Amino acid sequence: EVQLVESGGGLVQSGGSLGLSCGAFGFRFNYYWMSWVRQAPGKGPEWVANINRDGSEKYYVDSVKGRFTISRDNAKNSLYLQMNSLRAEDTAVYYCATDPGWGAYDRWGQGTVVTV
Amino acid sequence: DIVMTQSPLFLPVTLGQPASISCRSSQSLVHTNGNTYLHWFQQRPGQSPRRLIYKVSNRDSGVPDRFSGSGSGTEFTLEISRVEAEDIGVYYCMQGTLRPHTFGQGTKLDIK
């Protein structure tokens, strides 16, 4: 079964750090670009960052540049998001998603909640 | 950044009746490669978003054929030919033509 499972969310003080993980199951993880997308309470989704198949290209939304780092380990079928200098406005459900190209996110995890 | 504007924001519909959601982008979504990367997502209450339609009009596997997408340039539409109870939720358009990928504010579909 195709599945994405996020973990690592929680409650953190402003200025603190948190690391999120996303495990991929049931498909060829190294075939896909991967993205983190977040959704603040009562708001629409917001793309946060994405990474290419081998991890050599990374892109971020301006509001997290210099604070968040996306990475992946294809041997472990895992995606990561290291979040530093967290702010209240980073409070959201964070989803990982596969990106077959051009933002067409076709698989989403169940999300993990981050509260700052 | 490209701004995506949806209308209406709230859409009460009678079961069995059609529904239509409009999405407008602040600039053309036609990529230099000729493709238009406009996608539609559905988010049912308490669930993660789910892709319904990609590249304007391509319906995903398992999506009922009562859902259809159309449009070009900066104007796009998601149509539901006959609304069913399972269609309740929020619908988002999203552009993937330029980074940052941006979503519309969402249209909440509810049953009258």
Side-chain angles (χ1 to χ4, degrees), chain B residues 74-92:
Chain B
T74 62
E75 302 275 349
F76 304 92
T77 303
L78 175 70
E79 294 185 320
I80 310 173
S81 59
R82 296 172 307 280
V83 171
E84 297 190 6
E86 66 178 16
D87 300 336
I88 289 173
V90 183
Y91 292 80
Y92 298 97

Side-chain angles (χ1 to χ4, degrees), chain A residues 33 37 39 43-47 50 59 61 95 99-106 108-111, chain B residues 31 33 37 39 41 43 47-51 54 60 92 94-97 99-101 103-105:
Chain A
W33 281 66
V37 180
Q39 189 169 26
K43 302 293 185 182
E46 177 189 34
W47 170 77
N50 65 356
Y59 300 92
V61 68
Y95 298 98
D99 184 355
W102 309 103
Y105 313 120
D106 59 348
W108 295 65
Q110 85 289 349
Chain B
H31 193 272
N33 65 15
Y37 299 105
H39 319 300
F41 296 86
Q43 188 171 29
Q47 295 188 12
S48 304
R50 164 202 182 196
R51 195 182 72 185
Y54 60 97
D60 268 275
Y92 298 97
M94 194 221 82
Q95 68 81 19
T97 298
R99 286 190 191 90
H101 301 161
F103 290 81
Q105 325 94 298

Side-chain angles (χ1 to χ4, degrees), chain B residues 15-60:
Chain B
L15 289 175
Q17 293 300 302
S20 180
I21 300 170
S22 173
C23 174
R24 176 176 296 176
S25 57
S26 60
Q27 62 189 81
S28 173
L29 299 186
V30 180
H31 193 272
T32 53
N33 65 15
N35 289 313
T36 300
Y37 299 105
L38 183 285
H39 319 300
W40 289 95
F41 296 86
Q42 174 196 59
Q43 188 171 29
R44 290 173 171 150
Q47 295 188 12
S48 304
R50 164 202 182 196
R51 195 182 72 185
L52 291 178
I53 288 174
Y54 60 97
K55 290 199 299 182
V56 181
S57 59
N58 297 277
R59 198 167 45 245
D60 268 275

Side-chain angles (χ1 to χ4, degrees), chain A residues 44-87:
Chain A
E46 177 189 34
W47 170 77
V48 174
N50 65 356
I51 187 169
N52 71 340
R53 295 181 186 91
D54 66 5
S56 61
E57 293 181 47
K58 304 174 185 181
Y59 300 92
Y60 302 90
V61 68
D62 283 351
S63 60
V64 309
K65 281 180 183 174
R67 301 188 299 124
F68 289 13
T69 302
I70 189 172
S71 62
R72 67 190 296 161
D73 185 336
N74 287 340
K76 294 183 178 179
N77 288 339
S78 292
L79 176 72
Y80 306 102
L81 186 68
Q82 179 62 39
M83 305 185 294
N84 299 329
S85 303
L86 282 161
R87 307 167 180 167

